[in-house]
Amino acid sequence: MSANTAVWTVEGLSRDLAAGRTTSRALVEQALERIADPAGEGKRAVMKTYADSARADADHADRLRKAGIIRSVIDGLPITVKDLFDVAGDVTRAGSKVLADAPPAAADAPVIARLRAAGAVIVGRTNMVEFAFGAVGLNPHYGTPKNPWDRGAGRVPGGSSSGAAVAVADGMCVMGLGSDTRGSIRQPSALCGVTGFKPTARRIPRDGAFPLSYTLDSIGPLANSVACCAAYDAILAGEQRGVPAALPVRGLRLLLPRSSALDDLGTQVAKAFDASLSALSKAGAVIEEQKVPAFDRQAEYFKNGGFAGAEVYAIHRRFADRLDQYDPLVAQRIVLGMSIAAWEHV
């Protein structure tokens, strides 16, 4: 089971801060302690910590709060950011060795700037699959963080936002900023038992985030609840209306797609899935089962990498003479994109 015994949520921590039961500085110290815990996964989940600046930002948030100034609902809460986002003064490695000698970012990515303006305290940069091109979370360069729910067996965390999911699950942050192209938020969220989704790409600026696919990339949060994700999503999207109200479950129409995606489920996974459907039905949701043939055409869609394959090859052509420094699995996927014809991409 996860080492995080006290699950951090935006709502709960905001109440505690308002009531004076904790401070931003105290939360940051807890986050840094969990990252540094030798028995935990911090050394693999977090590639770099910002201890000094995080403490300074937390103290600033506490001073503002004492003066009655609260910048947003996430003001003073510790977060992490995936290694593909530009943070001013830092090298954006995107989980690679190839970019380790790149010049530091001159400015924060827009999403980082928005989070800072809302009072988020960045405590670290999280590990990821190299160049975000992988689903299970492996990184041979910086290590693979173990799934918090079964560290003994060394189960994978899911990718590519592997470190973000593990950091949230283990209480190293309230939110881990991630990216999703073909599941890079959803997969690690599902495997690590946290919440995440793929936002509509056009809602959140992607500038300052190392790309995988210009067509499919999107940016979003991983956190411990839907409400937490909604709070951070509103800030990332620059929405003035704030967090939307929760919808009642009763009356919601939900589609259960029947396809090969549900074949060969593990026994525990199948039981948990069926239990979730039952709970939703009992709460009043209307679940409709329909066949979705598109889900059975994955081989066709992802031939030679699909959209991502073509676009990632275009992005990485400049490193063609350094492919031997890549994760061999990632390099193999990238090279596949070379064979996609222009008409196929169109």
Side-chain angles (χ1 to χ4, degrees), residues 129 133-136 304-305 309 312 327-337:
V129 176
F133 207 6
V136 296
N304 294 331
V312 77
D327 173 351
L329 294 174
V330 171
Q332 184 180 31
R333 294 176 196 130
I334 290 172
V335 171
L336 281 174

Side-chain angles (χ1 to χ4, degrees), residues 69-135:
I69 301 170
I70 302 172
R71 290 166 287 184
S72 77
V73 69
I74 60 100
D75 194 1
L77 302 184
I79 68 166
T80 58
V81 300
K82 191 175 180 178
D83 189 45
L84 54 67
F85 294 102
D86 284 351
V87 174
D90 256 1
V91 175
T92 304
R93 291 174 288 182
S96 76
K97 292 287 190 182
V98 175
L99 294 180
D101 56 358
D108 286 341
V111 288
I112 301 297
R114 287 179 178 181
L115 288 165
R116 287 194 198 275
V121 179
I122 302 173
V123 295
R125 292 177 76 87
T126 51
N127 199 357
M128 56 182 284
V129 176
E130 184 179 34
F131 294 117
F133 207 6

Side-chain angles (χ1 to χ4, degrees), residues 278-324:
S278 177
L280 287 166
S281 294
K282 288 178 181 178
V286 179
I287 300 175
E288 297 183 6
E289 293 191 33
Q290 292 183 23
K291 289 186 177 180
V292 182
F295 283 13
D296 293 322
R297 298 172 63 186
Q298 300 301 300
E300 175 188 343
Y301 297 148
F302 294 137
K303 179 184 176 183
N304 294 331
F307 279 126
E311 294 168 4
V312 77
Y313 182 74
I315 293 163
H316 287 266
R317 281 185 64 200
R318 58 186 163 131
F319 302 127
D321 61 340
R322 301 179 67 181
L323 284 178
D324 60 324

Side-chain angles (χ1 to χ4, degrees), residues 168-214:
V168 171
D170 270 10
M172 302 175 200
C173 59
V174 179
M175 185 276 290
L177 183 64
S179 66
D180 193 308
T181 303
R182 297 193 311 211
S184 286
I185 288 175
R186 292 162 288 168
Q187 288 157 171
S189 294
L191 268 62
C192 291
V194 301
T195 302
F197 71 107
K198 177 173 181 168
T200 303
R202 66 177 179 272
R203 294 181 59 252
I204 299 171
R206 298 181 295 185
D207 306 307
F210 195 92
L212 172 60
S213 167
Y214 304 117

